[in-house]
Amino acid sequence: PYHVSINQNLYLEASLHSSNPSLELFLDTCVASPTRQNFTTRSYAIIKNGCVKDPTYSSYYSPYRHTLRFKFNAFQFVQSNPEVYLQCELVVCRAFDYSSRCHQGCVQRYKREANS
């Protein structure tokens, strides 16, 4: 566990450990939850499908393609225990494959209209 105060900046770094230097990381989704078992029912999206959802989120420059750096402000769920769990999904791509998920960025998924 990492203990922080509300609104304190949380700095995170994710690295891919591989002998292949031509791989890069992309942060696709990062979700917070008040429980470690359920990240769907009562959750808060910081990033979803590569789109920033939390206004306190910022990404930071990394000199390495295989390392991501980002931050967001600490928060607590209302009427819940003070613990917040984080689950992030990262994508690994070939560095110069411009058709890969890593180079698509934010992907908006629209709901389809249901006809009778």
Side-chain angles (χ1 to χ4, degrees):
Y2 187 69
H3 300 278
V4 296
S5 301
I6 301 273
N7 288 326
Q8 179 179 342
N9 286 334
L10 284 173
Y11 296 94
L12 292 96
E13 180 176 276
S15 294
L16 172 66
H17 298 279
S18 169
S19 59
N20 186 342
S22 65
L23 296 177
E24 68 179 310
L25 280 177
F26 175 72
L27 180 59
D28 183 71
T29 301
C30 211
V31 179
S33 170
T35 66
R36 74 178 81 190
Q37 296 88 5
N38 187 346
F39 282 87
T40 53
T41 305
R42 191 170 173 215
S43 63
Y44 175 73
I46 296 162
I47 297 218
K48 187 169 185 178
N49 300 320
C51 303
V52 175
K53 301 295 182 182
D54 184 298
T56 68
Y57 171 88
S58 293
S59 61
Y60 288 94
Y61 169 77
S62 170
Y64 309 106
R65 287 187 296 266
H66 60 271
T67 301
L68 289 173
R69 294 175 179 164
F70 62 99
K71 76 103 182 156
F72 63 93
N73 288 4
F75 62 91
Q76 181 178 346
F77 286 89
V78 177
Q79 297 177 350
S80 183
N81 63 349
E83 296 172 344
V84 174
Y85 297 88
L86 191 64
Q87 183 178 57
C88 297
E89 295 176 20
L90 294 97
V91 179
V92 178
C93 304
R94 282 188 228 93
F96 300 103
D97 179 359
Y98 296 104
S99 65
S100 71
R101 177 67 189 100
C102 294
H103 290 276
Q104 291 174 3
C106 174
V107 175
Q108 299 284 349
R109 295 205 170 112
Y110 299 101
K111 294 181 181 177
R112 295 182 187 168
E113 185 176 322
N115 295 329
S116 55

